[in-house]
Amino acid sequence: MPIELPPGIEEYVEAHTTAVPDAMKALHEETMRMPGAGMLSGPVEGRLLETLAWVTRARLAVDIGTFTGNSAIAMAGGLADGGRVVTCDVNPETLAIARRFIAASPYEDRIDVREGPALETLATVDGPIDLVFIDADKTNYLNYYEAVLPKLADRGLIAVDNTMWGGQVLDESDTSPDTVAIRAFNDHVVRDDRVVCVQLTVRDGVTLIRRA
């Protein structure tokens, strides 16, 4: 049966997740003062991405939607020796912030920052890809998924953010483009016999996808 989460549970979860380094705290604090701060994946999701990179022993990770660099830095922290993250975004202002924090992190040599449309970047990335994080424009989620799935390693993972979309996926009267796109993406993936997926109630929903 559904569990109704009490107020304060997100703070409790964060308090019982290993704290991020001070440099990441500075990234979070600066980002939270910016417009669009809600796009930050945050410390708990960052630790999840780091753990997924570690579990998959990722040598190549792809981050679709750099924003201010949290997800790229988090994944870089869990890579196998010699691994790298390719991260991409179209916003030069937030990429400048991301580059600054990446340069201040221990992982600058592991992170390749690309500016430009993600589908163009993905076309230049050869597989196998061990870990993908999709957290960009929602109307392109299906396109990103279809672009990376053929390049996914046999034991690779795709993690997709915002798949609960604030609960709006349940509101059929919400026909806004982003909501319709997320709903269509969720329905497509769960019916796709090429993959196995599980939707986690981490923050705004994170769906993990692997090959069937």
Side-chain angles (χ1 to χ4, degrees):
M1 68 188 316
I3 299 172
E4 185 173 344
L5 298 177
I9 196 65
E10 287 196 37
E11 293 79 5
Y12 182 88
V13 169
E14 184 173 337
H16 290 83
T17 298
T18 300
V20 298
D22 288 344
M24 288 291 277
K25 291 179 182 176
L27 184 160
H28 298 159
E29 289 169 1
E30 181 170 330
T31 304
M32 290 306 295
R33 294 193 294 268
M34 295 169 47
M39 292 189 293
L40 177 69
S41 47
V44 173
E45 198 166 348
R47 282 296 185 194
L48 174 62
L49 291 171
E50 177 191 46
T51 300
L52 294 176
W54 185 85
V55 167
T56 57
R57 299 180 180 178
R59 295 187 59 82
L60 175 58
V62 174
D63 179 34
I64 304 172
T66 310
F67 193 37
T68 55
N70 182 71
S71 49
I73 295 170
M75 287 192 289
L79 294 175
D81 290 344
R84 66 189 178 104
V85 177
V86 175
T87 184
C88 58
D89 209 304
V90 295
N91 187 328
E93 294 180 2
T94 56
L95 276 175
I97 297 168
R99 286 189 173 99
R100 173 162 49 84
F101 280 109
I102 289 168
S105 78
Y107 310 121
E108 183 178 16
D109 62 340
R110 303 183 193 180
I111 302 175
D112 178 4
V113 181
R114 310 269 187 96
E115 182 176 341
L119 290 171
E120 294 180 11
T121 298
L122 293 173
T124 69
V125 177
D126 295 325
I129 304 171
D130 301 297
L131 179 61
V132 180
F133 183 50
I134 300 175
D135 184 17
D137 51 313
K138 311 313 172 191
T139 53
N140 265 315
Y141 265 27
L142 268 175
N143 293 328
Y144 299 144
Y145 170 75
E146 293 294 346
V148 298
L149 185 58
K151 301 181 181 186
L152 193 66
D154 288 344
R155 297 188 64 83
L157 280 175
I158 303 171
V160 186
D161 201 15
N162 302 120
T163 55
M164 294 194 304
W165 201 233
Q168 291 304 108
V169 288
L170 298 175
D171 183 1
E172 294 294 337
S173 68
D174 185 347
T175 58
S176 59
D178 285 345
T179 302
V180 170
I182 291 289
R183 195 182 292 127
F185 174 81
N186 291 340
D187 291 344
H188 177 83
V189 171
V190 78
R191 294 169 183 160
D192 188 346
D193 59 11
R194 298 171 296 173
V195 302
V196 174
C197 66
V198 56
Q199 189 173 38
L200 308 178
T201 54
V202 176
R203 292 193 80 245
D204 192 29
V206 177
T207 297
L208 302 183
I209 305 163
R210 64 169 175 84
R211 290 187 182 277

